[in-house]
Amino acid sequence: MKTEGWQLLRPPREENAILLTRGQPLGYDAARMAFLFTMTYGAKIVDCEISSSALDDLDGTKGTRPGERETQFIRLRDAVERVASNAFAQQGKRAGERVRIFSKNVKGL
């Protein structure tokens, strides 16, 4: 498959495989209204973000203040990373593309 300058990261299709591993929390971006973090796929860094509303949905709250987002992310980190890994497994990502998590991705968890 030719991708013209993009390296396609195509994960294996194994059930319950943990594809991405823990990276670094980068912090809350108020302009994007999302918490940014990284994960790794082998030696590659995968940029990720989760929207404020998705974090609140996971937490069962509403209206968490920007200054409290990092604490909230750390508390929910295992669940957030599981959702990010599943999204990566389902879609595959081109190098440089961000894994984005929205409320619709966490409903029913």
Side-chain angles (χ1 to χ4, degrees):
M1 170 187 280
K2 188 170 182 166
T3 58
E4 294 188 33
W6 286 92
Q7 178 186 2
L8 189 61
L9 302 177
R10 188 65 72 184
R13 302 282 181 185
E14 298 173 18
E15 286 297 314
N16 301 320
I18 301 297
L19 300 169
L20 298 179
T21 56
R22 182 163 287 181
Q24 299 296 318
L26 300 177
Y28 183 69
D29 183 331
R32 295 174 87 91
M33 295 181 66
F35 193 89
L36 308 178
F37 61 103
T38 64
M39 295 188 73
T40 58
Y41 178 62
K44 301 194 183 312
I45 294 174
V46 178
D47 293 317
C48 304
E49 71 180 51
I50 183 167
S51 72
S52 298
S53 58
L55 275 171
D56 282 349
D57 288 345
L58 276 176
D59 205 14
T61 62
K62 235 182 176 171
T64 303
R65 294 185 173 187
E68 299 168 345
R69 289 290 177 194
E70 186 165 2
T71 301
Q72 184 183 40
F73 173 81
I74 298 301
R75 187 174 63 255
L76 301 170
R77 191 171 189 173
D78 289 339
V80 170
E81 290 174 343
R82 195 167 37 254
V83 173
S85 190
N86 289 341
F88 182 81
Q90 291 173 358
Q91 301 163 11
K93 293 290 173 196
R94 290 189 171 143
E97 286 185 0
R98 186 180 305 267
V99 173
R100 291 183 167 89
I101 303 169
F102 301 101
S103 285
K104 67 182 180 181
N105 304 115
V106 300
K107 295 286 186 197
L109 295 181

